[in-house]
């Protein structure tokens, strides 16, 4: 009986891929055969390959129109079937798995998602990412990624970067925590990664930098690397690059600029190296992280291992097109196509307009916060699209602003964020910094956001939070 019911379901579904066998054994055998037959490039490939992918595209299109939905981990675990089966499941089930997965995933492309530096969903870049996945190639040699390697050269011709996985951007004073991680991974030890104090806007205090350099030199240490930041993660602050460059030159130190966040607005030629994440402000799909060096050949001279089975020097083409030896890892994901395609679709002028628009919307948000100063407290005038503020529930309105009140406002953040997630209508991040308890950091980096969304965000925060009471 069980098999008959199965058969009925499959026959009614034109996408059935298990046909008319009654014993469990045969069904299992047939299922395996069908899974093999959806491989591409084979004579026995059948139309189901195309149809399966077309249906997955439907899942994707439905996904990008949905809104936020949140479940607690325990509830989510009960709802989902995440088991890895012994025997293959039918394609129909895999399509269901795809739908369920995206249904419960946070929709970071929704215009009410203001939670991360990387918000939004650029559709051209998405198309590039789909095709990248279809090409499924590694980026180490020209012989297996000819078009993509040339594409990297075109996009970065002047700066000779490579796309690298991950990328920096809450900070110890004046920089991202990844700098500390690098000191650890690189074998220096975190004690030798010194935090330079920052001013009230989160910018490195250069007199402190120089004082610390001198202090450590006097004790026989050799400061050799300074990480400046263009666009800090929380406050969106820009360090004074020119002054830092002068100090680096004076004491013969490498100057690196972490422009992972702010790179879309600013590119410095003073630095020895710059990191930049187009997947943040520019809206390229995750991940797209680049590192740029001023000096030609430096990556090869530091990293080349000349593995003979990949980087043969007697190939029929110029081996300099094999860029894989520039990086410390072997395999490298193709992160260029989605950026290249997006750039073609927008043009440089389109990116410029996007930056202007994001800044305009952030200014709009600041204005609306100031207009509702009974409900919102702006912490500082933003330099970027990071808007830092507190929300005031009724309990705390009209009271003088002091450190006691700030502690209470910090507690409001966690409560209100919990309510946001339960309601599933908006997401905004919060965190403390070294000067204050929790506060909200709103990011507008999605091209989908409008003034209406900003108004919705503020009114929704008030709807969800007005009755919050804290000790
Ligand atoms: N570098 C990670 C950025 C995290 C964030 O979206 O705030």
């Amino acid at each position: 009986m069980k098999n008959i019911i199965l058969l009925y379901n499959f026959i009614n579904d034109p996408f059935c891929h298990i046909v008319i066998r009654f014993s469990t054994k045969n069904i299992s055998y047939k299922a395996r055969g069908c899974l093999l037959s959806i491989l591409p490039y084979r004579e026995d490939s059948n139309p189901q390959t195309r149809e399966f992918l077309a249906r997955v595209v439907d899942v994707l299109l439905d996904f990008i129109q949905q809104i936020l939905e949140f479940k607690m981990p325990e509830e989510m675990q009960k709802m989902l079937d995440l088991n890895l089966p012994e025997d293959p499941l039918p394609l129909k089930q895999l399509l269901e798995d795809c739908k369920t997965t995206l249904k419960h995933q946070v929709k970071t492309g929704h215009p009410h998602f203001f939670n991360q530096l990387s918000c939004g969903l650029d559709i051209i870049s998405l198309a590039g990412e789909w095709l990248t996945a279809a090409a499924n190639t590694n980026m180490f040699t020209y012989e297996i990624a000819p078009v993509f390697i040339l594409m990297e050269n075109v996009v970065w011709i002047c700066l000779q970067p490579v796309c690298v996985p991950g990328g920096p951007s809450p900070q110890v004073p004046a920089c991202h925590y990844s700098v500390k991680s690098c000191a650890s991974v690189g074998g220096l030890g975190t004690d030798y990664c010194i935090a330079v104090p920052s001013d009230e806007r989160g910018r490195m205090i250069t007199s402190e930098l120089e004082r610390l350099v001198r202090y450590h030199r006097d004790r026989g240490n050799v400061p050799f690397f300074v990480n400046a930041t263009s666009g800090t993660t929380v406050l969106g602050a820009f360090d004074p690059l020119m002054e830092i460059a002068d100090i680096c030159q004076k004491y013969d130190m490498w100057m690196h600029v972490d422009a992972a966040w702010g790179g879309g607005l600013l590119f410095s030629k003073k630095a020895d190296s710059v990191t930049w994440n187009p997947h943040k402000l520019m809206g390229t799909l995750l991940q797209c992280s680049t590192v740029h060096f001023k000096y030609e050949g430096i990556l090869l001279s530091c990293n080349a291992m000349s593995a003979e089975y990949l980087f043969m020097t007697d190939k029929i083409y110029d081996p300099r097109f094999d860029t894989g030896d520039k990086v410390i890892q072997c395999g490298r994901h193709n992160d260029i196509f989605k950026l290249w395609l997006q750039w073609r679709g927008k043009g440089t002028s389109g990116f410029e307009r996007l930056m202007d628009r994001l800044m305009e919307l952030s200014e709009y948000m600041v204005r609306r916060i100031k207009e509702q100063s009974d409900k919102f407290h702006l912490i500082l005038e933003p330099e970027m699209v990071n808007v830092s503020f507190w929300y005031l529930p009724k309990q705390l309105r009209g009271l003088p602003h002091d450190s006691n009140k700030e502690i209470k406002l910090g507690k409001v953040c966690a409560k209100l964020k919990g309510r946001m997630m339960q309601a599933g209508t908006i997401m905004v991040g919060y965190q403390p910094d070294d000067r204050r308890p929790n506060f909200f950091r709103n990011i507008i980096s999605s091209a989908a956001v409008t003034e209406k969304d900003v108004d919705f965000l503020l009114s929704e925060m008030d709807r969800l939070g007005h009755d919050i009471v804290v000790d």
Side-chain angles (χ1 to χ4, degrees), residues 115-118 167-169 176-177 233 277 280 441:
N115 206 73
Q116 264 6 102
L117 302 185
S118 46
S169 274
H176 185 261
Y177 73 89
T233 305
N277 293 169
K280 290 179 175 155
R441 175 207 69 168

Side-chain angles (χ1 to χ4, degrees), residues 335-346:
D335 292 321
I336 194 66
F337 184 49
K338 59 197 171 195
L339 172 59
W340 177 84
L341 197 65
Q342 181 194 23
W343 204 319
R344 301 263 291 181
K346 275 195 168 30

